[in-house]
Amino acid sequence: HRTGYRGIHLMPRVRVPEEKHWPVGLGFAAELGLGRPDFNTSFWSLELRPIIDKKIGKLCIAFNPVIAKVLDKEGTDGEFECSPNGMISYELSEKLSPAVEYYASLGPLKEFNDVSEQLHHIFIATEIKLDPRWELNVGYGFTVNSNGEDKIVKLFIGRIF
């Protein structure tokens, strides 16, 4: 079992303003990741993350059909991979929303990996809005199948500009 800092990611996001009153929220993020070599098979990664969400009262459902690319892994041809994720959260207060989150790595877009080679993670998480410009997401997760880390603690700190 390993414990420690895994890496850092920079993720600028844009979204359609809520004032437009679209039936679903739409946004996009491009995430550049820098990982520690002892925790990752790659050092640099890129994720292109469409953001689709729907709020129904205090309930929020989100889906991100992410495509990801390892930028420096030896032995790959630089393929984009399918890494979808999703979340269901409930707003207990203006500042606190517990959630269940799902993250997957299915394999290359042109042909997904066999199910036994895919990664599927479930997290119990909480989003905390520290003030209008700062958000904190902390969670405990586990791998659904036998691949990957069996227990994971995550921490996301976000700054809204």
Side-chain angles (χ1 to χ4, degrees):
H1 297 289
R2 298 181 291 181
T3 303
Y5 163 73
R6 184 173 182 166
I8 188 167
H9 290 237
L10 177 63
M11 184 174 63
R13 295 182 285 190
V14 295
R15 68 178 292 118
V16 174
E18 290 184 18
E19 296 81 34
K20 297 287 184 186
H21 302 289
W22 286 21
V24 295
L26 291 177
F28 182 79
E31 182 173 331
L32 182 62
L34 174 63
R36 281 187 38 199
D38 56 332
F39 270 87
N40 299 291
T41 56
S42 67
F43 198 63
W44 288 99
S45 62
L46 173 67
E47 291 185 2
L48 303 176
R49 180 183 301 270
I51 301 166
I52 305 162
D53 59 31
K54 176 71 177 172
K55 291 183 181 176
I56 305 165
K58 294 185 175 214
L59 186 71
C60 180
I61 301 167
F63 174 63
N64 306 130
V66 177
I67 58 171
K69 182 176 186 172
V70 173
L71 301 177
D72 66 338
K73 185 176 179 181
E74 292 182 25
T76 66
D77 61 3
E79 303 178 278
F80 277 99
E81 296 192 2
C82 182
S83 298
N85 54 69
M87 175 195 72
I88 298 174
S89 68
Y90 186 82
E91 185 181 300
L92 288 178
S93 70
E94 282 183 21
K95 296 187 180 268
L96 187 66
S97 299
V100 175
E101 300 175 353
Y102 167 77
Y103 297 88
S105 179
L106 305 180
L109 288 175
K110 66 181 180 186
E111 184 177 352
F112 290 170
N113 291 336
D114 184 74
V115 173
S116 65
E117 297 173 10
Q118 297 176 2
L119 289 173
H120 298 273
H121 302 287
I122 302 288
F123 281 82
I124 304 302
T126 300
E127 183 174 302
I128 302 166
K129 294 184 177 118
L130 302 173
D131 77 24
R133 296 166 301 188
W134 288 94
E135 62 183 328
L136 175 70
N137 181 297
V138 61
Y140 174 79
F142 57 91
T143 303
V144 176
N145 55 355
S146 61
N147 295 329
E149 305 293 327
D150 59 345
K151 297 177 188 100
I152 306 164
V153 175
K154 73 171 188 125
L155 173 66
F156 169 84
I157 302 170
R159 171 77 164 102
I160 300 167
F161 293 94

